Amino acid sequence: MGDPTGFLKNNRKVAGYRPVEQRINDYSEVELQLSEDERKLQASRCMDCGVPFCHWSCPVSNIMPEWQDRIFKGEWKEAWELLQETNNFPEFTGRVCPALCEASCVLALNDEAVTIRQNELAVIEKAFELGLVKANPPKTRSGKKVAVIGGGPAGLAAADQLNKAGHMVTLFEGTDRVGGYLRYGIPDFKLEKSFIDRRLDIMKEEGVVFKTNSYVGRDVKINDIMKEYDAVCITIGAREARDLPIEGRELSGIHQALDYLTQQNKTCAGDKVCQDSLIAALDKNVLVIGGGDTGSDCVGTANRQGARKVTQIELLPMPSKTRTDSEPWPLWPRLHKTSSSHEEGCERLWCISSKKFIGENGKVKKVLACKVEWVNENGRFNMKEVPGSEFEIEADLVLLAMGFVHVVQKDFVNELGLKLDARGNIDTGADFKTSVDKVFAAGDANRGASLVVYAISEGRGAANAINEFLSK
Amino acid sequence: MPWEVGLAETHQTLVLNDLRGRVRLQTDGQMRTGRDIVIGGLLGAEEFGFGTTTLIVMGCIMMRKCHLNTCPVGIATQDPRLRKRFAGKPEHLINYFRFLAEEVREVMASLGIRKFNDLIGRTDLLEVAPNSHWKAKSANPSLLLHRPAEADKYATYCVQDQIHKIDAILDRTLIEKSKNAIEKKEKVSFSVPVKNTDRTAGAMLSYEISKRYGDDGLPEGTLSVDFNGSAGQSFGAFLAKGVTFRLNGDANDYLGKGLSGGKIVVVPPKGSTFKPEENIIIGNTVLYGATAGEVYVRGVAGERFCVRNSGALAVIEGTGDHCAEYMTGGYLVVLGKVGRNFGAGMSGGIAYVYDVDGNFDYFCNKGMVELSKLDNDEDVSRVKSMIQKHIDNTDSEHAKNILSNWSSTQPKFIKVMPVEYKRALEEMKLKELDKKLEGIIEEEEIGGKA
Ligand SMILES: Cc1cc2nc3c(=O)[nH]c(=O)nc-3n(C[C@H](O)[C@H](O)[C@H](O)COP(=O)(O)OP(=O)(O)OC[C@H]3O[C@@H](n4cnc5c(N)ncnc54)[C@H](O)[C@@H]3O)c2cc1C
């Protein structure tokens, strides 16, 4: 630890976002970066704890204290070497991770957490700037072939690790571009897609083969893969979106959030979107149903498209703004968060249930909603409609962002006969093995909709398991 | 070493020899739960120490920065900003210990034991849990669980108070004879014989004084006791202000331990023929932790003279190894040869050594101290006055010779001073000067305005 009293001398300083008036007009990243000198001071706030909880709460077990010290000393190469040992893609997590580490940072116990996420980003971007991150193909090959199905962060991490271990990796991606939700889902203003391409170029040079437009179960037969490869890693995400089957659902103007977000990602990438299927928010009253991060991404996108008004509703009550006793440090607290997108203009309502969509000429115009209460009955919270609380919300574009139920089962998961868990995701043990020989699963497909950092950690875990399986 | 091993062996051995009833056994090290305590009891302990756990209860998060003054939860720090963050409360500890006690009761109830004493050493109530760890294979805990047959006839826990044998010790006489000095501050002097089984002579006497007058003690020269003979360990320990012990004879180790303002003089018995400055007349580890007072010894000391002295003044005619070790304050004059490792870890106070052979440099541990000559009036007058006092108290021929040939002996004196201590003193002096200067400037300004 470079400066044992750094945390007493420097306050937490986040770089913040570009001004709303400016950022609302484009899709470039909203978050700013600190200067190098300021970044070093932020790193000096790390106390190099005897028991570092950041490390414990991080799914990929980043060893933060070690690299914070290197940042403080300006030893960027060493910092990067330590970071890339545990995290394949710090440039993704450094941008979009909710930073479980910061919630459990020891400094956050009675002060403000170290800016761990942004420090991580500084390390990897500096490493790219210095030309340290380059292709480093394995010296020897094992001769074993592994198929990775699904090119999200889980698939990418698994492919990267397996390739480094010397196996020949082919990654099958159903869409036209690799990246999963990083590519089509997370808006460009949170994660610019050039950063994915920059990483993919290195992985290609190192020998990973990417097959896009290769949707397994449609473009490619799972049986062919099973025949050709020594091991298969399934990382297809948990993409079965939750729907809202209420009266009027068939009206036009009601879309799944992911369809909407994907379209904008494609537009940003320069693709032409067919006019008939265009989902546009321009001059519309947009209603986002679902109060989570996907919903928030819809809010930011709708505002950029020039929506007249954006409303986001959520069934659950508004979470507390500060930690409650039921989630003491160092646990991850569910807190009320205001994202950069919310700052850009949005009305947010909690404890609201949608009862029916009301339309005109086949197009949605309004949503009939009501207030609900959550009553504690014998320790279980049950939802009760507040009598007489019905009201209407003007909406000519409705976006459903209510989360994902489980993995998509119909395309090849069922065909393979994979055992599913209680929630409908692919069942594996701690060793990422599915019920079918030589088939492994990781990421959202295994644990249900989660986070990028968990996807990476699962991808790494599965790669380890596969490596062990192949070395037998 | 896990506490279980040491505890079991200690307990069993004490029981075997019928000594267990005379002591209390305490164990500690990763004690956390009531279950730990009961297991400790079954293996033979009746007292338990808690370290880490209690810290955790008070908010410790195992930062392991206790040595850096940066403890972020305000426990191991003196930094006021960090101490503000301390969130522990006595109630937290009370709660923890209440739960511990509760759990102990529960475990005892499940064993059918009514009193804690009844479970001490009951290894028959312990059984070895199966453990498949490869290391466990070669471990055989049966010796830990052995219960000596003697446990049936001898005590297995503390049943007997310690007999201190302090009813008829020398201090009782001293206190009795000093009654008027202690109670009425009258001048008292008397003389008593002393022998080497009289330990810690003067400590209880000093207690009687400090109980009444605290740190102030008695007025200078109120009580004066002459001892004749060979004094036991810790002669004059904690001696209070206003008391002078004069010993005609010799003393064992720990003389003047924790000296608290009193004066101790040791001289060879009348009629002895040896050269005092060449013969050891007091033992090792003298003035350990002394905070104030004076010691004059006409003769040589053993090892570790003035170790951890933090304020007493001492004059001696020669010492063994490690003199002035870890000294933090006070003044010391050695009028003769010293042993090796002089001044190791010395961080405060000043020592002056009469370097007869000119080789002191070799005997000194210069890790923390620097050496110089007596080159200023302050040092010269300090050393001279200390030697004069030594003469006044001991009538030392050796000291008289040094003083009467001062022009030729002064150059042989070496001043030993801790570097950091010197720096701190100089800074303090500078600050004083600054203050004075400021005062003068202010005065001038006020004068100017007027
Ligand atoms: C809108 C949105 C915003 C998010 N924001 C964040 C955030 O800010 N921070 C964060 O940490 N997490 C965020 N998440 C969650 C995070 O993106 C996911 O948890 C993570 O991407 C899961 O990774 P994965 O690799 O398991 O699956 P995915 O990212 O879902 O990738 C699965 C891939 O498999 C492909 N695929 C599916 N089926 C097939 C098939 N049959 N054949 C071939 N390919 C197939 C898909 O096209 C896709 O590329 C967000 C999610 C969404 C939807």
mmCIF file of all heavy atoms in Angstrom, chain A residues 133-138 141 159-161 163-164 167-168 199-210:
data_model
loop_
_atom_site.group_PDB
_atom_site.id
_atom_site.type_symbol
_atom_site.label_atom_id
_atom_site.label_comp_id
_atom_site.label_asym_id
_atom_site.label_seq_id
_atom_site.Cartn_x
_atom_site.Cartn_y
_atom_site.Cartn_z
ATOM 1 N N VAL A 133 -1.899 -4.922 -24.350
ATOM 2 C CA VAL A 133 -2.891 -5.970 -24.587
ATOM 3 C C VAL A 133 -2.780 -6.395 -26.043
ATOM 4 O O VAL A 133 -3.246 -5.713 -26.942
ATOM 5 C CB VAL A 133 -4.316 -5.439 -24.300
ATOM 6 C CG1 VAL A 133 -5.299 -6.596 -24.218
ATOM 7 C CG2 VAL A 133 -4.342 -4.618 -23.034
ATOM 8 N N LYS A 134 -2.113 -7.487 -26.269
ATOM 9 C CA LYS A 134 -1.996 -7.961 -27.639
ATOM 10 C C LYS A 134 -2.142 -9.471 -27.717
ATOM 11 O O LYS A 134 -2.117 -10.157 -26.694
ATOM 12 C CB LYS A 134 -0.674 -7.542 -28.294
ATOM 13 C CG LYS A 134 0.423 -7.137 -27.357
ATOM 14 C CD LYS A 134 1.669 -6.824 -28.100
ATOM 15 C CE LYS A 134 2.828 -7.327 -27.265
ATOM 16 N NZ LYS A 134 3.743 -6.349 -26.814
ATOM 17 N N ALA A 135 -2.327 -9.921 -28.939
ATOM 18 C CA ALA A 135 -2.553 -11.346 -29.130
ATOM 19 C C ALA A 135 -1.367 -12.139 -28.598
ATOM 20 O O ALA A 135 -0.213 -11.776 -28.815
ATOM 21 C CB ALA A 135 -2.751 -11.643 -30.612
ATOM 22 N N ASN A 136 -1.688 -13.214 -27.894
ATOM 23 C CA ASN A 136 -0.646 -14.040 -27.297
ATOM 24 C C ASN A 136 -1.087 -15.494 -27.445
ATOM 25 O O ASN A 136 -1.497 -16.135 -26.489
ATOM 26 C CB ASN A 136 -0.511 -13.608 -25.822
ATOM 27 C CG ASN A 136 0.605 -14.355 -25.137
ATOM 28 O OD1 ASN A 136 1.447 -14.963 -25.782
ATOM 29 N ND2 ASN A 136 0.587 -14.338 -23.818
ATOM 30 N N PRO A 137 -1.023 -15.997 -28.698
ATOM 31 C CA PRO A 137 -1.578 -17.331 -28.967
ATOM 32 C C PRO A 137 -0.843 -18.402 -28.156
ATOM 33 O O PRO A 137 0.341 -18.227 -27.855
ATOM 34 C CB PRO A 137 -1.314 -17.528 -30.471
ATOM 35 C CG PRO A 137 -0.889 -16.211 -30.998
ATOM 36 C CD PRO A 137 -0.347 -15.430 -29.870
ATOM 37 N N PRO A 138 -1.541 -19.473 -27.821
ATOM 38 C CA PRO A 138 -0.892 -20.519 -27.026
ATOM 39 C C PRO A 138 0.286 -21.127 -27.788
ATOM 40 O O PRO A 138 0.251 -21.250 -29.011
ATOM 41 C CB PRO A 138 -2.009 -21.551 -26.821
ATOM 42 C CG PRO A 138 -3.024 -21.253 -27.864
ATOM 43 C CD PRO A 138 -2.928 -19.803 -28.153
ATOM 44 N N ARG A 141 -0.754 -26.753 -28.826
ATOM 45 C CA ARG A 141 -2.171 -27.066 -28.948
ATOM 46 C C ARG A 141 -2.434 -28.475 -28.427
ATOM 47 O O ARG A 141 -1.613 -29.370 -28.589
ATOM 48 C CB ARG A 141 -2.603 -26.967 -30.413
ATOM 49 C CG ARG A 141 -2.716 -25.544 -30.937
ATOM 50 C CD ARG A 141 -3.925 -24.845 -30.345
ATOM 51 N NE ARG A 141 -4.016 -23.447 -30.766
ATOM 52 C CZ ARG A 141 -4.930 -22.594 -30.308
ATOM 53 N NH1 ARG A 141 -5.807 -22.996 -29.399
ATOM 54 N NH2 ARG A 141 -4.965 -21.356 -30.727
ATOM 55 N N ALA A 159 -14.393 -19.257 -24.057
ATOM 56 C CA ALA A 159 -13.593 -19.431 -25.271
ATOM 57 C C ALA A 159 -12.167 -18.945 -25.049
ATOM 58 O O ALA A 159 -11.185 -19.608 -25.417
ATOM 59 C CB ALA A 159 -14.244 -18.675 -26.425
ATOM 60 N N ASP A 160 -12.034 -17.790 -24.419
ATOM 61 C CA ASP A 160 -10.719 -17.193 -24.166
ATOM 62 C C ASP A 160 -9.869 -18.125 -23.305
ATOM 63 O O ASP A 160 -8.711 -18.424 -23.623
ATOM 64 C CB ASP A 160 -10.916 -15.842 -23.472
ATOM 65 C CG ASP A 160 -9.648 -15.011 -23.476
ATOM 66 O OD1 ASP A 160 -8.836 -15.180 -24.414
ATOM 67 O OD2 ASP A 160 -9.456 -14.186 -22.559
ATOM 68 N N GLN A 161 -10.462 -18.622 -22.228
ATOM 69 C CA GLN A 161 -9.718 -19.481 -21.306
ATOM 70 C C GLN A 161 -9.338 -20.819 -21.970
ATOM 71 O O GLN A 161 -8.219 -21.295 -21.819
ATOM 72 C CB GLN A 161 -10.526 -19.753 -20.036
ATOM 73 C CG GLN A 161 -10.712 -18.544 -19.144
ATOM 74 C CD GLN A 161 -9.416 -18.047 -18.534
ATOM 75 O OE1 GLN A 161 -8.833 -17.070 -19.007
ATOM 76 N NE2 GLN A 161 -8.933 -18.728 -17.517
ATOM 77 N N ASN A 163 -9.061 -21.458 -25.137
ATOM 78 C CA ASN A 163 -8.070 -21.232 -26.195
ATOM 79 C C ASN A 163 -6.685 -21.063 -25.571
ATOM 80 O O ASN A 163 -5.698 -21.633 -26.049
ATOM 81 C CB ASN A 163 -8.466 -20.015 -27.016
ATOM 82 C CG ASN A 163 -7.507 -19.771 -28.163
ATOM 83 O OD1 ASN A 163 -7.362 -20.637 -29.031
ATOM 84 N ND2 ASN A 163 -6.834 -18.636 -28.154
ATOM 85 N N LYS A 164 -6.624 -20.304 -24.486
ATOM 86 C CA LYS A 164 -5.337 -20.098 -23.812
ATOM 87 C C LYS A 164 -4.773 -21.425 -23.315
ATOM 88 O O LYS A 164 -3.562 -21.595 -23.222
ATOM 89 C CB LYS A 164 -5.489 -19.115 -22.650
ATOM 90 C CG LYS A 164 -5.570 -17.678 -23.147
ATOM 91 C CD LYS A 164 -5.650 -16.673 -22.011
ATOM 92 C CE LYS A 164 -5.593 -15.260 -22.571
ATOM 93 N NZ LYS A 164 -6.547 -14.367 -21.885
ATOM 94 N N HIS A 167 -6.743 -25.533 -26.382
ATOM 95 C CA HIS A 167 -7.764 -26.264 -27.135
ATOM 96 C C HIS A 167 -8.203 -25.440 -28.340
ATOM 97 O O HIS A 167 -8.063 -24.224 -28.350
ATOM 98 C CB HIS A 167 -8.955 -26.577 -26.233
ATOM 99 C CG HIS A 167 -8.549 -27.249 -24.948
ATOM 100 N ND1 HIS A 167 -7.871 -28.448 -24.928
ATOM 101 C CD2 HIS A 167 -8.671 -26.858 -23.659
ATOM 102 C CE1 HIS A 167 -7.615 -28.786 -23.675
ATOM 103 N NE2 HIS A 167 -8.076 -27.839 -22.876
ATOM 104 N N MET A 168 -8.734 -26.132 -29.353
ATOM 105 C CA MET A 168 -9.226 -25.435 -30.536
ATOM 106 C C MET A 168 -10.677 -25.059 -30.267
ATOM 107 O O MET A 168 -11.530 -25.929 -30.086
ATOM 108 C CB MET A 168 -9.162 -26.344 -31.769
ATOM 109 C CG MET A 168 -7.753 -26.733 -32.176
ATOM 110 S SD MET A 168 -6.738 -25.298 -32.610
ATOM 111 C CE MET A 168 -7.690 -24.620 -33.954
ATOM 112 N N ARG A 199 -11.596 -6.338 -28.537
ATOM 113 C CA ARG A 199 -11.268 -7.586 -27.847
ATOM 114 C C ARG A 199 -11.391 -8.774 -28.794
ATOM 115 O O ARG A 199 -10.560 -9.691 -28.777
ATOM 116 C CB ARG A 199 -12.169 -7.738 -26.618
ATOM 117 C CG ARG A 199 -11.942 -8.986 -25.808
ATOM 118 C CD ARG A 199 -10.534 -9.099 -25.234
ATOM 119 N NE ARG A 199 -10.272 -8.181 -24.144
ATOM 120 C CZ ARG A 199 -9.163 -8.220 -23.387
ATOM 121 N NH1 ARG A 199 -8.226 -9.141 -23.614
ATOM 122 N NH2 ARG A 199 -8.983 -7.338 -22.428
ATOM 123 N N LEU A 200 -12.452 -8.775 -29.620
ATOM 124 C CA LEU A 200 -12.673 -9.905 -30.518
ATOM 125 C C LEU A 200 -11.496 -10.054 -31.490
ATOM 126 O O LEU A 200 -11.076 -11.179 -31.808
ATOM 127 C CB LEU A 200 -13.980 -9.729 -31.291
ATOM 128 C CG LEU A 200 -15.263 -9.799 -30.441
ATOM 129 C CD1 LEU A 200 -16.492 -9.600 -31.328
ATOM 130 C CD2 LEU A 200 -15.362 -11.134 -29.697
ATOM 131 N N ASP A 201 -10.975 -8.916 -31.954
ATOM 132 C CA ASP A 201 -9.842 -8.972 -32.886
ATOM 133 C C ASP A 201 -8.672 -9.727 -32.261
ATOM 134 O O ASP A 201 -8.016 -10.540 -32.923
ATOM 135 C CB ASP A 201 -9.395 -7.549 -33.266
ATOM 136 C CG ASP A 201 -10.402 -6.903 -34.212
ATOM 137 O OD1 ASP A 201 -11.242 -7.656 -34.767
ATOM 138 O OD2 ASP A 201 -10.363 -5.660 -34.362
ATOM 139 N N ILE A 202 -8.413 -9.440 -30.988
ATOM 140 C CA ILE A 202 -7.301 -10.120 -30.316
ATOM 141 C C ILE A 202 -7.580 -11.610 -30.198
ATOM 142 O O ILE A 202 -6.721 -12.449 -30.501
ATOM 143 C CB ILE A 202 -7.061 -9.504 -28.924
ATOM 144 C CG1 ILE A 202 -6.589 -8.059 -29.081
ATOM 145 C CG2 ILE A 202 -6.051 -10.316 -28.129
ATOM 146 C CD1 ILE A 202 -6.478 -7.305 -27.791
ATOM 147 N N MET A 203 -8.821 -11.939 -29.807
ATOM 148 C CA MET A 203 -9.158 -13.355 -29.638
ATOM 149 C C MET A 203 -9.064 -14.118 -30.968
ATOM 150 O O MET A 203 -8.610 -15.262 -31.005
ATOM 151 C CB MET A 203 -10.554 -13.515 -29.021
ATOM 152 C CG MET A 203 -10.591 -13.098 -27.551
ATOM 153 S SD MET A 203 -12.240 -13.164 -26.820
ATOM 154 C CE MET A 203 -12.593 -14.908 -26.877
ATOM 155 N N LYS A 204 -9.500 -13.434 -32.060
ATOM 156 C CA LYS A 204 -9.396 -14.080 -33.374
ATOM 157 C C LYS A 204 -7.935 -14.353 -33.709
ATOM 158 O O LYS A 204 -7.568 -15.446 -34.150
ATOM 159 C CB LYS A 204 -10.001 -13.169 -34.454
ATOM 160 C CG LYS A 204 -11.514 -13.257 -34.545
ATOM 161 C CD LYS A 204 -12.042 -12.250 -35.578
ATOM 162 C CE LYS A 204 -13.490 -11.892 -35.275
ATOM 163 N NZ LYS A 204 -13.914 -10.641 -35.894
ATOM 164 N N GLU A 205 -7.114 -13.348 -33.461
ATOM 165 C CA GLU A 205 -5.691 -13.490 -33.763
ATOM 166 C C GLU A 205 -5.075 -14.620 -32.933
ATOM 167 O O GLU A 205 -4.133 -15.289 -33.361
ATOM 168 C CB GLU A 205 -4.993 -12.165 -33.456
ATOM 169 C CG GLU A 205 -3.852 -11.834 -34.403
ATOM 170 C CD GLU A 205 -3.177 -10.530 -34.009
ATOM 171 O OE1 GLU A 205 -3.894 -9.540 -33.727
ATOM 172 O OE2 GLU A 205 -1.932 -10.517 -33.964
ATOM 173 N N GLU A 206 -5.646 -14.829 -31.758
ATOM 174 C CA GLU A 206 -5.114 -15.885 -30.894
ATOM 175 C C GLU A 206 -5.634 -17.262 -31.292
ATOM 176 O O GLU A 206 -5.202 -18.265 -30.725
ATOM 177 C CB GLU A 206 -5.483 -15.598 -29.428
ATOM 178 C CG GLU A 206 -4.683 -14.440 -28.851
ATOM 179 C CD GLU A 206 -5.078 -14.082 -27.433
ATOM 180 O OE1 GLU A 206 -6.232 -14.314 -27.049
ATOM 181 O OE2 GLU A 206 -4.221 -13.566 -26.708
ATOM 182 N N GLY A 207 -6.590 -17.276 -32.211
ATOM 183 C CA GLY A 207 -7.004 -18.573 -32.738
ATOM 184 C C GLY A 207 -8.438 -18.987 -32.492
ATOM 185 O O GLY A 207 -8.857 -20.060 -32.926
ATOM 186 N N VAL A 208 -9.218 -18.181 -31.777
ATOM 187 C CA VAL A 208 -10.622 -18.552 -31.565
ATOM 188 C C VAL A 208 -11.370 -18.345 -32.883
ATOM 189 O O VAL A 208 -11.198 -17.332 -33.545
ATOM 190 C CB VAL A 208 -11.264 -17.689 -30.460
ATOM 191 C CG1 VAL A 208 -12.732 -18.063 -30.277
ATOM 192 C CG2 VAL A 208 -10.496 -17.840 -29.152
ATOM 193 N N VAL A 209 -12.181 -19.340 -33.263
ATOM 194 C CA VAL A 209 -12.955 -19.219 -34.502
ATOM 195 C C VAL A 209 -14.375 -18.804 -34.151
ATOM 196 O O VAL A 209 -15.036 -19.442 -33.333
ATOM 197 C CB VAL A 209 -12.966 -20.558 -35.270
ATOM 198 C CG1 VAL A 209 -13.863 -20.446 -36.503
ATOM 199 C CG2 VAL A 209 -11.552 -20.963 -35.623
ATOM 200 N N PHE A 210 -14.834 -17.680 -34.725
ATOM 201 C CA PHE A 210 -16.183 -17.193 -34.458
ATOM 202 C C PHE A 210 -17.069 -17.497 -35.662
ATOM 203 O O PHE A 210 -16.742 -17.126 -36.788
ATOM 204 C CB PHE A 210 -16.165 -15.685 -34.210
ATOM 205 C CG PHE A 210 -15.470 -15.305 -32.935
ATOM 206 C CD1 PHE A 210 -14.142 -14.870 -32.944
ATOM 207 C CD2 PHE A 210 -16.124 -15.388 -31.710
ATOM 208 C CE1 PHE A 210 -13.500 -14.525 -31.758
ATOM 209 C CE2 PHE A 210 -15.490 -15.042 -30.529
ATOM 210 C CZ PHE A 210 -14.163 -14.610 -30.557
#
